[in-house]
């Protein structure tokens, strides 16, 4: 680990370029007759694809309303989404896909604005992919938002 006030260690920078997902596949890609068809190459890619689909569904079904009568629905959608983002953090971290992880976690903030651990995961993923200035900008926006409420 490194201090959050310093730049990340060199071995963590540009890790996505050397990750397993971006490297040459072990077998030839299958040719399909239709456009925009993807076939995972192994179990890991299949699980990763299913997690991305689950994340998309969680974002679609998220309860954003702050109305008091929707508190229970908001808690359930937050719990489901939080579990998905935790699994995405593990899988993308294993492959060094920190840029994609930070993009996914930024989408989570819209309905999980006051969840510390999602903000923490977002900050760590941004630090790992070298987006240090964006973390400061997001923090300022968060402070402004909390002052308004």
């Amino acid at each position: 680990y490194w201090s959050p006030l310093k730049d990340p260690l060199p071995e963590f920078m540009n890790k996505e370029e050397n990750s397993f997902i971006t490297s040459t596949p072990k077998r030839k890609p299958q040719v399909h007759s239709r456009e925009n068809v993807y076939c995972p190459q192994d179990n890991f890619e299949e699980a990763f694809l299913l997690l991305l689909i689950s994340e998309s569904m969680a974002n679609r079904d998220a309860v954003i309303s702050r109305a008091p009568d929707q508190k229970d629905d908001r808690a359930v959608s937050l719990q489901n989404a939080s579990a998905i983002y935790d699994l995405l953090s593990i899988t993308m971290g294993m492959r060094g896909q920190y840029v994609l992880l930070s993009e996914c976690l930024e989408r989570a903030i819209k309905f999980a604005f006051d969840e510390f651990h999602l903000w923490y995961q977002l900050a760590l993923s941004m630090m790992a992919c070298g987006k240090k200035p964006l973390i400061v900008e997001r923090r300022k926006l968060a402070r402004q938002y909390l002052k308004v409420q």
Side-chain angles (χ1 to χ4, degrees):
Y1 297 105
W2 63 90
S3 168
L5 302 176
K6 296 180 182 175
D7 289 331
L9 299 173
E11 57 264 19
F12 291 111
M13 298 302 293
N14 300 324
K15 191 172 182 179
E16 283 192 355
E17 295 171 5
N18 300 324
S19 69
F20 297 108
I21 290 177
T22 57
S23 65
T24 308
K26 295 177 183 171
R27 62 180 186 188
K28 287 187 174 184
Q30 296 178 358
V31 179
H32 300 282
S33 59
R34 297 178 8 195
E35 291 183 19
N36 299 326
V37 176
Y38 173 74
C39 181
Q41 300 295 316
D42 58 9
N43 289 341
F44 190 87
E45 285 185 12
E46 185 175 352
F48 184 63
L49 178 63
L50 291 172
L51 281 171
L52 288 175
I53 292 169
S54 298
E55 187 242 350
S56 175
M57 292 171 63
N59 278 335
R60 185 192 64 202
D61 298 336
V63 178
I64 301 174
S65 173
R66 296 282 183 193
D69 60 328
Q70 295 188 347
K71 184 178 181 179
D72 293 336
D73 294 335
R74 192 171 52 248
V76 168
S77 69
L78 175 63
Q79 183 180 6
N80 292 339
S82 181
I84 292 168
Y85 286 112
D86 289 343
L87 292 171
L88 276 171
S89 297
I90 292 168
T91 56
M92 288 185 191
M94 287 173 56
R95 294 287 177 115
Q97 296 290 327
Y98 299 112
V99 173
L100 185 57
L101 176 59
S102 64
E103 290 171 4
C104 289
L105 289 169
E106 280 188 69
R107 289 191 293 268
I109 297 302
K110 74 177 182 183
F111 59 88
F113 196 80
D114 52 350
E115 286 297 310
F116 172 77
H117 94 276
L118 288 176
W119 276 103
Y120 194 69
Q121 286 178 346
L122 175 63
L124 290 175
S125 65
M126 287 182 145
M127 288 294 292
C129 65
K131 293 183 182 177
K132 188 174 170 182
L134 284 176
I135 297 169
V136 176
E137 178 185 327
R138 298 295 189 273
R139 185 174 174 206
K140 288 178 185 176
L141 287 173
R143 284 187 177 173
Q144 290 174 355
Y145 177 80
L146 291 174
K147 285 180 184 178
V148 171
Q149 289 190 346

